[in-house]
Amino acid sequence: MDNYNDHKKILLAVDCIIFGFDNQNLKILLIKRNFEPEKGRWSLMGGFLHTDENLDDAAIRVLNQLTGLHNIYMEQLRTYSAIDRDPVERTVSVAYYALINITEHTAEINENYSAKWFNIDEAPDLIFDHKLMVANAMLRLRRRALSKPIGFELLPKKFTMKQLQTLYEAILGETLDKRNFINKINALDILLKTEEKDMNSSRKGSYFYTFDEEKYKFKVSDGFTFRL
Amino acid sequence: MDNYNDHKKILLAVDCIIFGFDNQNLKILLIKRNFEPEKGRWSLMGGFLHTDENLDDAAIRVLNQLTGLHNIYMEQLRTYSAIDRDPVERTVSVAYYALINITEHTAEINENYSAKWFNIDEAPDLIFDHKLMVANAMLRLRRRALSKPIGFELLPKKFTMKQLQTLYEAILGETLDKRNFINKINALDILLKTEEKDMNSSRKGSYFYTFDEEKYKFKVSDGFTFRL
DNA sequence: TCAAAAGTGTTCACCGTACACCCATGG
DNA sequence: CCATGGGTGTACGGTGAACACTTTTGA
């Protein structure tokens, strides 16, 4: 009844919504397209699926090619298939979103490709349906931030409570009460307070914390669920 | 730098995880495959993407072809792309899940295609990565059931509180306290109690309710969020 | 009259939220 | 000594969970 040969094959692409945090604002990394169509306009980082890789690998490859980064948190978002989403040829695109901590990787992010960070609310118009992808990624990020400790992917290894709170405020788009926020975080019991202080932000200095991934994993395997 | 012609096209399929509820158990609809490979084994309902339709339309078409049903709740789940997931040819598949109320549509569901309902925990082995798809769909269904009133998609228009509770117990995989459940549902204030009673389940009879979609939509537009 | 399912409220513990003052330090 | 950001605790109300008895009616 169904035969593989009866069906047209089509191009499969991946597009990456790359989030970063500069201790102030949530940002996305965009590139200026250097090929047609829509050459010169801003776009998500994308590429086509190769036959010897799966989609996750393709997304990792694309991200690596355009930023030089390895070991980045990525997650499949959803697949976009509007018939005319790409004017040149029928292309279905699988969107991924990635979280990068900008501060530790500034050097590695390759500016050769005209890549540039934009504040999430100051991003330029994007080609195709990329704006929709970003909007969906933003919603997903918000949900995830409340149910998984993904925030730490966006921060340097050592960070202050203030940084963490500012990040969550940027992601959630609302201000949070300092005491309640710290109480919640401490109740989770997945951070290590270091001896070290950040002396740049204030005269008193504020302690650096690190995310205790071991402890977190152990607690999860013990039935614990992160919930902010 | 990137050229559309440099890239191989591949087959794109959709596979549907179809959930139903028979007032007792949560079920999925499977078909016995009548073509190679894996002919004769159980499988999700699937088909290939046509060039003149998007993925949502393809999923709707596949579902309609194999069940005769229209206007079914469907949602894209995620995309599966392991290199060797289909032994015949590289195929990427986008999974959708659908919710059907069995009781009102028994007649329409076409048995010509060897389609059969299985209890979710008594389903046979499935081809390819379909088992993984079902597991993911189940997780998604659980999450959705708590945050959107999708349960009503699985029930007849008129249903009793008992039915509703049994459904939620089946979805969540745990028993619920009758009083707490009813209190919660009533607090949501999105059901209409009819005058009519179901006299089959007991001598006393139990009232039928209907989901008040108008009211629900109004409340949502007013900032209300469903939360069980 | 009895069996079987329907229907109905209250109490309590915990969690989330609101809220304000002192501390340490460098200039 | 003062200005700036860092750090800390409590009280209250609301929500979620535990829990048992009465009602109806057909057989």
Side-chain angles (χ1 to χ4, degrees), chain A residues 2 4 7-12 33 35 37 48-55 76 78-79 81 83 86 89-90 92 143, chain B residues 2 4 7-12 33 35 37 48-55 76 78-79 81 83 86 89-90 92:
Chain A
D2 224 334
Y4 283 61
H7 303 282
K8 291 251 173 58
K9 300 181 182 182
I10 63 176
L11 277 174
L12 243 190
R33 238 169 114 93
F35 60 98
F48 292 100
L49 178 69
H50 294 177
T51 48
D52 61 349
E53 65 185 3
N54 62 30
L55 287 164
Q76 189 187 304
R78 70 174 280 128
T79 301
S81 63
I83 294 174
D86 184 322
E89 178 156 358
R90 180 73 196 279
V92 168
R143 265 193 292 123
Chain B
D2 223 334
Y4 283 60
H7 302 282
K8 291 251 172 60
K9 300 181 184 182
I10 62 175
L11 278 175
L12 245 189
R33 238 170 113 94
F35 59 99
F48 292 99
L49 178 68
H50 294 177
T51 48
D52 61 349
E53 65 185 1
N54 62 32
L55 287 164
Q76 188 187 304
R78 72 173 280 131
T79 300
S81 63
I83 295 174
D86 184 323
E89 178 155 358
R90 180 74 195 278
V92 168

Short mmCIF file of all heavy atoms in Angstrom, two decimals, chain A residues 2 4 7-12 33 35 37 48-55 76 78-79 81 83 86 89-90 92 143, chain B residues 2 4 7-12 33 35 37 48-55 76 78-79 81 83 86 89-90 92:
data_model
loop_
_atom_site.label_atom_id
_atom_site.label_comp_id
_atom_site.label_asym_id
_atom_site.label_seq_id
_atom_site.Cartn_x
_atom_site.Cartn_y
_atom_site.Cartn_z
N ASP A 2 1.95 1.23 0.74
CA ASP A 2 2.80 2.41 0.77
C ASP A 2 4.17 2.01 0.25
O ASP A 2 4.71 0.98 0.61
CB ASP A 2 2.93 2.94 2.19
CG ASP A 2 2.80 4.45 2.20
OD1 ASP A 2 3.10 5.06 1.17
OD2 ASP A 2 2.38 4.99 3.22
N TYR A 4 8.11 3.35 -0.64
CA TYR A 4 9.08 4.40 -0.39
C TYR A 4 9.37 5.23 -1.65
O TYR A 4 9.66 6.40 -1.58
CB TYR A 4 10.40 3.80 0.11
CG TYR A 4 10.35 3.38 1.57
CD1 TYR A 4 9.45 2.41 2.00
CD2 TYR A 4 11.21 3.95 2.49
CE1 TYR A 4 9.40 2.02 3.32
CE2 TYR A 4 11.17 3.55 3.82
CZ TYR A 4 10.28 2.59 4.22
OH TYR A 4 10.24 2.21 5.53
N HIS A 7 7.41 8.66 -2.98
CA HIS A 7 7.40 9.92 -2.25
C HIS A 7 8.63 10.78 -2.51
O HIS A 7 9.74 10.29 -2.59
CB HIS A 7 7.25 9.63 -0.77
CG HIS A 7 6.01 8.83 -0.51
ND1 HIS A 7 4.77 9.41 -0.48
CD2 HIS A 7 5.82 7.51 -0.33
CE1 HIS A 7 3.86 8.47 -0.28
NE2 HIS A 7 4.46 7.30 -0.19
N LYS A 8 8.36 12.06 -2.64
CA LYS A 8 9.41 13.02 -2.88
C LYS A 8 10.25 13.24 -1.64
O LYS A 8 9.73 13.33 -0.54
CB LYS A 8 8.78 14.36 -3.29
CG LYS A 8 8.11 14.33 -4.65
CD LYS A 8 8.92 15.13 -5.67
CE LYS A 8 8.37 14.98 -7.07
NZ LYS A 8 6.94 15.38 -7.14
N LYS A 9 11.51 13.37 -1.86
CA LYS A 9 12.40 13.72 -0.76
C LYS A 9 12.51 15.24 -0.70
O LYS A 9 12.32 15.92 -1.70
CB LYS A 9 13.78 13.11 -0.99
CG LYS A 9 13.73 11.59 -1.10
CD LYS A 9 15.11 11.04 -1.30
CE LYS A 9 15.05 9.53 -1.48
NZ LYS A 9 16.40 8.95 -1.63
N ILE A 10 12.83 15.73 0.47
CA ILE A 10 12.97 17.18 0.58
C ILE A 10 14.17 17.56 1.43
O ILE A 10 14.76 16.70 2.10
CB ILE A 10 11.71 17.83 1.16
CG1 ILE A 10 11.49 17.33 2.58
CG2 ILE A 10 10.50 17.54 0.31
CD1 ILE A 10 10.33 18.01 3.21
N LEU A 11 14.52 18.82 1.36
CA LEU A 11 15.66 19.31 2.12
C LEU A 11 15.29 19.44 3.59
O LEU A 11 14.22 19.93 3.93
CB LEU A 11 16.11 20.67 1.60
CG LEU A 11 17.02 20.66 0.38
CD1 LEU A 11 17.27 22.09 -0.10
CD2 LEU A 11 18.35 19.98 0.72
N LEU A 12 16.21 19.02 4.45
CA LEU A 12 15.99 19.15 5.89
C LEU A 12 17.10 20.02 6.48
O LEU A 12 18.29 19.74 6.30
CB LEU A 12 16.04 17.77 6.55
CG LEU A 12 14.77 17.28 7.22
CD1 LEU A 12 15.07 16.03 8.01
CD2 LEU A 12 14.13 18.33 8.09
N ARG A 33 23.35 36.86 6.82
CA ARG A 33 23.39 35.85 5.79
C ARG A 33 24.26 36.27 4.64
O ARG A 33 24.08 37.36 4.07
CB ARG A 33 21.98 35.62 5.26
CG ARG A 33 21.48 34.21 5.38
CD ARG A 33 20.03 34.19 5.07
NE ARG A 33 19.74 33.45 3.85
CZ ARG A 33 19.42 32.16 3.85
NH1 ARG A 33 19.39 31.48 4.95
NH2 ARG A 33 19.12 31.56 2.72
N PHE A 35 24.60 34.45 1.75
CA PHE A 35 24.23 33.78 0.49
C PHE A 35 22.75 33.98 0.24
O PHE A 35 22.00 34.34 1.15
CB PHE A 35 24.59 32.28 0.54
CG PHE A 35 23.93 31.51 1.64
CD1 PHE A 35 22.80 30.75 1.39
CD2 PHE A 35 24.46 31.52 2.93
CE1 PHE A 35 22.19 30.04 2.41
CE2 PHE A 35 23.84 30.80 3.95
CZ PHE A 35 22.72 30.06 3.69
N PRO A 37 18.85 32.95 -0.74
CA PRO A 37 18.13 34.23 -0.78
C PRO A 37 18.31 35.01 0.53
O PRO A 37 18.84 34.46 1.49
CB PRO A 37 16.68 33.78 -0.92
CG PRO A 37 16.63 32.49 -0.18
CD PRO A 37 17.96 31.84 -0.40
N PHE A 48 22.21 22.50 6.66
CA PHE A 48 21.42 21.36 6.21
C PHE A 48 21.88 20.06 6.87
O PHE A 48 23.05 19.92 7.24
CB PHE A 48 21.50 21.25 4.69
CG PHE A 48 20.80 22.38 3.99
CD1 PHE A 48 21.51 23.46 3.49
CD2 PHE A 48 19.41 22.37 3.87
CE1 PHE A 48 20.85 24.51 2.86
CE2 PHE A 48 18.75 23.42 3.24
CZ PHE A 48 19.47 24.49 2.75
N LEU A 49 20.94 19.17 6.99
CA LEU A 49 21.25 17.86 7.56
C LEU A 49 22.07 17.04 6.58
O LEU A 49 21.72 16.95 5.41
CB LEU A 49 19.95 17.12 7.88
CG LEU A 49 20.10 15.71 8.46
CD1 LEU A 49 20.66 15.77 9.87
CD2 LEU A 49 18.76 14.98 8.45
N HIS A 50 23.16 16.46 7.07
CA HIS A 50 23.95 15.55 6.24
C HIS A 50 23.41 14.14 6.40
O HIS A 50 22.74 13.82 7.37
CB HIS A 50 25.42 15.59 6.66
CG HIS A 50 26.07 16.92 6.40
ND1 HIS A 50 27.38 17.19 6.75
CD2 HIS A 50 25.60 18.06 5.83
CE1 HIS A 50 27.68 18.43 6.41
NE2 HIS A 50 26.62 18.98 5.85
N THR A 51 23.74 13.31 5.43
CA THR A 51 23.18 11.95 5.48
C THR A 51 23.84 11.08 6.54
O THR A 51 23.28 10.07 6.94
CB THR A 51 23.33 11.26 4.11
OG1 THR A 51 24.66 11.44 3.66
CG2 THR A 51 22.36 11.86 3.10
N ASP A 52 25.02 11.47 6.99
CA ASP A 52 25.72 10.62 7.96
C ASP A 52 25.59 11.13 9.39
O ASP A 52 26.42 10.82 10.23
CB ASP A 52 27.20 10.53 7.58
CG ASP A 52 27.87 11.90 7.59
OD1 ASP A 52 27.13 12.92 7.68
OD2 ASP A 52 29.10 11.96 7.50
N GLU A 53 24.59 11.90 9.66
CA GLU A 53 24.42 12.43 11.01
C GLU A 53 22.93 12.54 11.34
O GLU A 53 22.10 12.63 10.43
CB GLU A 53 25.06 13.82 11.13
CG GLU A 53 24.37 14.86 10.24
CD GLU A 53 25.05 16.23 10.23
OE1 GLU A 53 26.11 16.39 10.85
OE2 GLU A 53 24.50 17.12 9.56
N ASN A 54 22.62 12.51 12.62
CA ASN A 54 21.23 12.77 13.00
C ASN A 54 21.05 14.27 13.28
O ASN A 54 22.01 15.04 13.21
CB ASN A 54 20.81 11.90 14.19
CG ASN A 54 21.62 12.20 15.43
OD1 ASN A 54 22.07 13.31 15.64
ND2 ASN A 54 21.82 11.18 16.25
N LEU A 55 19.85 14.66 13.62
CA LEU A 55 19.57 16.09 13.77
C LEU A 55 20.35 16.72 14.92
O LEU A 55 20.85 17.84 14.80
CB LEU A 55 18.07 16.31 13.97
CG LEU A 55 17.23 16.12 12.71
CD1 LEU A 55 15.76 15.96 13.05
CD2 LEU A 55 17.42 17.31 11.77
N GLN A 76 16.19 20.05 21.20
CA GLN A 76 15.32 20.21 20.04
C GLN A 76 14.06 20.97 20.43
O GLN A 76 13.48 20.69 21.48
CB GLN A 76 14.95 18.84 19.46
CG GLN A 76 14.23 18.95 18.13
CD GLN A 76 13.70 17.62 17.63
OE1 GLN A 76 14.44 16.66 17.49
NE2 GLN A 76 12.41 17.54 17.37
N ARG A 78 11.19 22.42 17.92
CA ARG A 78 10.12 21.85 17.13
C ARG A 78 10.46 22.00 15.65
O ARG A 78 11.45 22.63 15.29
CB ARG A 78 8.75 22.42 17.45
CG ARG A 78 8.54 23.85 17.04
CD ARG A 78 7.09 24.27 17.28
NE ARG A 78 6.20 23.81 16.24
CZ ARG A 78 5.07 23.13 16.45
NH1 ARG A 78 4.69 22.84 17.66
NH2 ARG A 78 4.32 22.75 15.44
N THR A 79 9.62 21.43 14.79
CA THR A 79 9.91 21.38 13.37
C THR A 79 8.95 22.26 12.60
O THR A 79 7.74 22.21 12.84
CB THR A 79 9.85 19.92 12.90
OG1 THR A 79 10.81 19.17 13.64
CG2 THR A 79 10.14 19.81 11.41
N SER A 81 7.45 23.61 8.96
CA SER A 81 7.28 22.98 7.65
C SER A 81 6.33 23.72 6.72
O SER A 81 5.85 23.14 5.74
CB SER A 81 6.75 21.55 7.85
OG SER A 81 5.47 21.61 8.47
N ILE A 83 4.79 25.40 3.72
CA ILE A 83 5.19 25.06 2.36
C ILE A 83 6.12 26.10 1.75
O ILE A 83 7.11 25.76 1.10
CB ILE A 83 3.94 24.90 1.45
CG1 ILE A 83 3.15 23.68 1.93
CG2 ILE A 83 4.34 24.73 0.00
CD1 ILE A 83 1.84 23.50 1.22
N ASP A 86 10.62 28.73 2.88
CA ASP A 86 11.84 29.09 2.17
C ASP A 86 11.46 29.31 0.71
O ASP A 86 10.98 28.39 0.05
CB ASP A 86 12.87 27.96 2.29
CG ASP A 86 14.20 28.33 1.65
OD1 ASP A 86 14.20 28.99 0.60
OD2 ASP A 86 15.24 27.94 2.21
N GLU A 89 13.33 26.86 -2.22
CA GLU A 89 13.02 25.44 -2.38
C GLU A 89 12.33 24.95 -1.12
O GLU A 89 12.58 25.42 -0.03
CB GLU A 89 14.33 24.66 -2.59
CG GLU A 89 14.10 23.18 -2.72
CD GLU A 89 15.22 22.48 -3.48
OE1 GLU A 89 16.15 23.17 -3.92
OE2 GLU A 89 15.14 21.26 -3.62
N ARG A 90 11.47 23.98 -1.29
CA ARG A 90 10.79 23.41 -0.14
C ARG A 90 11.81 22.89 0.84
O ARG A 90 12.62 22.01 0.53
CB ARG A 90 9.88 22.24 -0.58
CG ARG A 90 9.13 21.58 0.56
CD ARG A 90 8.00 22.49 1.04
NE ARG A 90 7.46 22.14 2.34
CZ ARG A 90 6.55 21.19 2.56
NH1 ARG A 90 6.10 20.47 1.56
NH2 ARG A 90 6.10 20.98 3.77
N VAL A 92 12.20 21.88 5.08
CA VAL A 92 11.65 21.74 6.42
C VAL A 92 12.79 21.97 7.39
O VAL A 92 13.90 21.49 7.19
CB VAL A 92 11.04 20.34 6.61
CG1 VAL A 92 10.72 20.07 8.07
CG2 VAL A 92 9.77 20.21 5.76
N ARG A 143 9.82 28.06 30.47
CA ARG A 143 9.30 26.86 31.15
C ARG A 143 10.44 26.06 31.75
O ARG A 143 10.39 25.64 32.89
CB ARG A 143 8.51 26.00 30.15
CG ARG A 143 7.02 26.28 30.18
CD ARG A 143 6.27 25.21 29.43
NE ARG A 143 6.51 25.23 28.00
CZ ARG A 143 6.98 24.22 27.30
NH1 ARG A 143 7.26 23.08 27.89
NH2 ARG A 143 7.16 24.35 26.00
N ASP B 2 26.98 28.56 1.54
CA ASP B 2 26.10 27.40 1.62
C ASP B 2 25.24 27.39 0.37
O ASP B 2 24.73 28.42 -0.07
CB ASP B 2 25.22 27.48 2.85
CG ASP B 2 25.13 26.14 3.53
OD1 ASP B 2 25.31 25.11 2.84
OD2 ASP B 2 24.90 26.11 4.74
N TYR B 4 22.15 25.37 -1.77
CA TYR B 4 21.05 24.41 -1.64
C TYR B 4 21.34 23.11 -2.39
O TYR B 4 20.90 22.04 -2.00
CB TYR B 4 19.76 25.02 -2.17
CG TYR B 4 19.12 26.01 -1.23
CD1 TYR B 4 19.79 27.14 -0.83
CD2 TYR B 4 17.84 25.78 -0.75
CE1 TYR B 4 19.20 28.05 0.03
CE2 TYR B 4 17.24 26.69 0.11
CZ TYR B 4 17.92 27.82 0.49
OH TYR B 4 17.34 28.71 1.33
N HIS B 7 23.28 19.68 -1.00
CA HIS B 7 22.77 18.85 0.08
C HIS B 7 21.76 17.82 -0.38
O HIS B 7 20.91 18.10 -1.22
CB HIS B 7 22.19 19.74 1.16
CG HIS B 7 23.20 20.71 1.67
ND1 HIS B 7 24.18 20.34 2.56
CD2 HIS B 7 23.45 21.99 1.36
CE1 HIS B 7 24.97 21.38 2.79
NE2 HIS B 7 24.56 22.39 2.08
N LYS B 8 21.88 16.65 0.21
CA LYS B 8 20.99 15.55 -0.13
C LYS B 8 19.62 15.77 0.48
O LYS B 8 19.49 16.22 1.61
CB LYS B 8 21.58 14.25 0.43
CG LYS B 8 22.85 13.80 -0.27
CD LYS B 8 22.59 12.55 -1.12
CE LYS B 8 23.80 12.22 -1.97
NZ LYS B 8 24.99 11.95 -1.12
N LYS B 9 18.64 15.42 -0.29
CA LYS B 9 17.28 15.46 0.24
C LYS B 9 16.98 14.10 0.86
O LYS B 9 17.57 13.09 0.47
CB LYS B 9 16.31 15.75 -0.89
CG LYS B 9 16.58 17.08 -1.57
CD LYS B 9 15.57 17.33 -2.66
CE LYS B 9 15.91 18.62 -3.39
NZ LYS B 9 14.90 18.91 -4.44
N ILE B 10 16.06 14.09 1.79
CA ILE B 10 15.71 12.82 2.40
C ILE B 10 14.21 12.69 2.58
O ILE B 10 13.47 13.66 2.44
CB ILE B 10 16.40 12.65 3.76
CG1 ILE B 10 15.92 13.73 4.72
CG2 ILE B 10 17.90 12.69 3.63
CD1 ILE B 10 16.49 13.52 6.09
N LEU B 11 13.79 11.49 2.88
CA LEU B 11 12.37 11.22 3.09
C LEU B 11 11.92 11.76 4.43
O LEU B 11 12.60 11.57 5.44
CB LEU B 11 12.10 9.72 3.02
CG LEU B 11 11.96 9.11 1.64
CD1 LEU B 11 11.81 7.59 1.76
CD2 LEU B 11 10.74 9.70 0.92
N LEU B 12 10.76 12.38 4.44
CA LEU B 12 10.19 12.90 5.68
C LEU B 12 8.84 12.23 5.93
O LEU B 12 7.96 12.26 5.07
CB LEU B 12 9.98 14.40 5.58
CG LEU B 12 10.80 15.29 6.50
CD1 LEU B 12 10.31 16.71 6.41
CD2 LEU B 12 10.80 14.79 7.92
N ARG B 33 1.32 -3.61 10.02
CA ARG B 33 1.93 -3.12 8.79
C ARG B 33 1.72 -4.10 7.64
O ARG B 33 2.03 -5.28 7.77
CB ARG B 33 3.43 -2.96 9.01
CG ARG B 33 3.94 -1.56 8.77
CD ARG B 33 5.34 -1.48 9.25
NE ARG B 33 6.30 -1.28 8.17
CZ ARG B 33 6.75 -0.09 7.79
NH1 ARG B 33 6.31 0.99 8.38
NH2 ARG B 33 7.65 0.02 6.83
N PHE B 35 3.13 -3.70 4.53
CA PHE B 35 4.16 -3.57 3.49
C PHE B 35 5.53 -3.68 4.15
O PHE B 35 5.66 -3.53 5.36
CB PHE B 35 4.02 -2.26 2.72
CG PHE B 35 4.11 -1.01 3.56
CD1 PHE B 35 5.30 -0.30 3.63
CD2 PHE B 35 3.00 -0.56 4.28
CE1 PHE B 35 5.38 0.84 4.40
CE2 PHE B 35 3.09 0.59 5.05
CZ PHE B 35 4.28 1.29 5.12
N PRO B 37 9.48 -2.67 4.98
CA PRO B 37 9.96 -3.74 5.85
C PRO B 37 9.06 -3.92 7.06
O PRO B 37 8.17 -3.11 7.28
CB PRO B 37 11.32 -3.21 6.29
CG PRO B 37 11.13 -1.73 6.34
CD PRO B 37 10.19 -1.42 5.20
N PHE B 48 4.10 9.45 4.48
CA PHE B 48 5.14 10.39 4.07
C PHE B 48 4.58 11.77 3.80
O PHE B 48 3.40 11.92 3.42
CB PHE B 48 5.86 9.84 2.84
CG PHE B 48 6.68 8.62 3.14
CD1 PHE B 48 6.19 7.34 2.85
CD2 PHE B 48 7.92 8.73 3.76
CE1 PHE B 48 6.95 6.21 3.15
CE2 PHE B 48 8.67 7.61 4.06
CZ PHE B 48 8.18 6.34 3.75
N LEU B 49 5.42 12.74 3.98
CA LEU B 49 5.03 14.12 3.72
C LEU B 49 4.92 14.36 2.22
O LEU B 49 5.83 14.00 1.47
CB LEU B 49 6.07 15.08 4.32
CG LEU B 49 5.82 16.57 4.10
CD1 LEU B 49 4.59 17.03 4.88
CD2 LEU B 49 7.04 17.38 4.49
N HIS B 50 3.82 14.95 1.79
CA HIS B 50 3.68 15.32 0.39
C HIS B 50 4.23 16.72 0.20
O HIS B 50 4.34 17.50 1.16
CB HIS B 50 2.21 15.29 -0.03
CG HIS B 50 1.62 13.90 0.00
ND1 HIS B 50 0.31 13.64 -0.28
CD2 HIS B 50 2.19 12.69 0.27
CE1 HIS B 50 0.07 12.34 -0.18
NE2 HIS B 50 1.19 11.75 0.16
N THR B 51 4.54 17.04 -1.05
CA THR B 51 5.16 18.35 -1.28
C THR B 51 4.16 19.49 -1.19
O THR B 51 4.55 20.64 -1.01
CB THR B 51 5.83 18.39 -2.68
OG1 THR B 51 4.92 17.88 -3.64
CG2 THR B 51 7.09 17.55 -2.68
N ASP B 52 2.89 19.18 -1.30
CA ASP B 52 1.90 20.27 -1.27
C ASP B 52 1.21 20.41 0.08
O ASP B 52 0.10 20.95 0.16
CB ASP B 52 0.84 20.01 -2.35
CG ASP B 52 0.12 18.70 -2.11
OD1 ASP B 52 0.57 17.92 -1.24
OD2 ASP B 52 -0.91 18.46 -2.77
N GLU B 53 1.83 19.96 1.13
CA GLU B 53 1.20 20.06 2.46
C GLU B 53 2.30 20.28 3.50
O GLU B 53 3.46 19.92 3.28
CB GLU B 53 0.44 18.77 2.78
CG GLU B 53 1.36 17.56 2.92
CD GLU B 53 0.63 16.23 3.12
OE1 GLU B 53 -0.61 16.22 3.13
OE2 GLU B 53 1.33 15.21 3.26
N ASN B 54 1.91 20.88 4.61
CA ASN B 54 2.87 20.97 5.71
C ASN B 54 2.70 19.76 6.64
O ASN B 54 1.82 18.92 6.41
CB ASN B 54 2.73 22.30 6.46
CG ASN B 54 1.37 22.46 7.11
OD1 ASN B 54 0.75 21.49 7.52
ND2 ASN B 54 0.90 23.70 7.21
N LEU B 55 3.50 19.69 7.66
CA LEU B 55 3.50 18.49 8.51
C LEU B 55 2.17 18.31 9.24
O LEU B 55 1.66 17.19 9.35
CB LEU B 55 4.65 18.56 9.52
CG LEU B 55 6.03 18.32 8.92
CD1 LEU B 55 7.14 18.78 9.87
CD2 LEU B 55 6.22 16.84 8.59
N GLN B 76 2.09 18.45 17.49
CA GLN B 76 3.41 17.92 17.11
C GLN B 76 4.19 17.56 18.37
O GLN B 76 4.19 18.31 19.34
CB GLN B 76 4.19 18.97 16.31
CG GLN B 76 5.48 18.41 15.74
CD GLN B 76 6.34 19.47 15.07
OE1 GLN B 76 5.90 20.18 14.17
NE2 GLN B 76 7.58 19.60 15.51
N ARG B 78 7.73 15.56 18.54
CA ARG B 78 9.13 15.87 18.25
C ARG B 78 9.58 15.08 17.04
O ARG B 78 8.85 14.24 16.53
CB ARG B 78 10.05 15.65 19.45
CG ARG B 78 10.30 14.21 19.82
CD ARG B 78 11.37 14.15 20.91
NE ARG B 78 12.70 14.27 20.38
CZ ARG B 78 13.63 15.10 20.85
NH1 ARG B 78 13.38 15.88 21.87
NH2 ARG B 78 14.82 15.14 20.30
N THR B 79 10.80 15.33 16.60
CA THR B 79 11.28 14.75 15.35
C THR B 79 12.40 13.76 15.63
O THR B 79 13.30 14.04 16.40
CB THR B 79 11.76 15.88 14.42
OG1 THR B 79 10.65 16.74 14.17
CG2 THR B 79 12.28 15.32 13.11
N SER B 81 15.37 11.19 14.20
CA SER B 81 16.26 11.24 13.05
C SER B 81 17.45 10.30 13.12
O SER B 81 18.43 10.49 12.41
CB SER B 81 16.77 12.68 12.88
OG SER B 81 17.54 13.04 14.01
N ILE B 83 20.10 7.73 12.35
CA ILE B 83 20.50 7.40 10.98
C ILE B 83 19.87 6.11 10.48
O ILE B 83 19.42 6.02 9.35
CB ILE B 83 22.03 7.32 10.89
CG1 ILE B 83 22.62 8.71 11.15
CG2 ILE B 83 22.46 6.81 9.51
CD1 ILE B 83 24.12 8.73 11.21
N ASP B 86 15.15 3.68 10.13
CA ASP B 86 14.44 2.91 9.13
C ASP B 86 15.48 2.14 8.32
O ASP B 86 16.34 2.76 7.69
CB ASP B 86 13.64 3.84 8.23
CG ASP B 86 12.78 3.09 7.22
OD1 ASP B 86 13.24 2.05 6.71
OD2 ASP B 86 11.65 3.55 6.94
N GLU B 89 15.68 2.89 4.14
CA GLU B 89 16.18 4.15 3.59
C GLU B 89 16.18 5.20 4.68
O GLU B 89 15.34 5.18 5.57
CB GLU B 89 15.28 4.60 2.44
CG GLU B 89 15.71 5.91 1.85
CD GLU B 89 15.25 6.08 0.41
OE1 GLU B 89 14.64 5.15 -0.13
OE2 GLU B 89 15.52 7.16 -0.14
N ARG B 90 17.13 6.10 4.59
CA ARG B 90 17.19 7.18 5.57
C ARG B 90 15.87 7.94 5.56
O ARG B 90 15.47 8.51 4.55
CB ARG B 90 18.33 8.15 5.23
CG ARG B 90 18.46 9.31 6.19
CD ARG B 90 19.05 8.84 7.49
NE ARG B 90 18.92 9.77 8.59
CZ ARG B 90 19.70 10.81 8.82
NH1 ARG B 90 20.70 11.08 8.01
NH2 ARG B 90 19.50 11.59 9.87
N VAL B 92 13.51 10.56 8.14
CA VAL B 92 13.31 11.32 9.37
C VAL B 92 11.81 11.38 9.61
O VAL B 92 11.04 11.60 8.68
CB VAL B 92 13.91 12.72 9.25
CG1 VAL B 92 13.46 13.61 10.40
CG2 VAL B 92 15.44 12.65 9.20
#
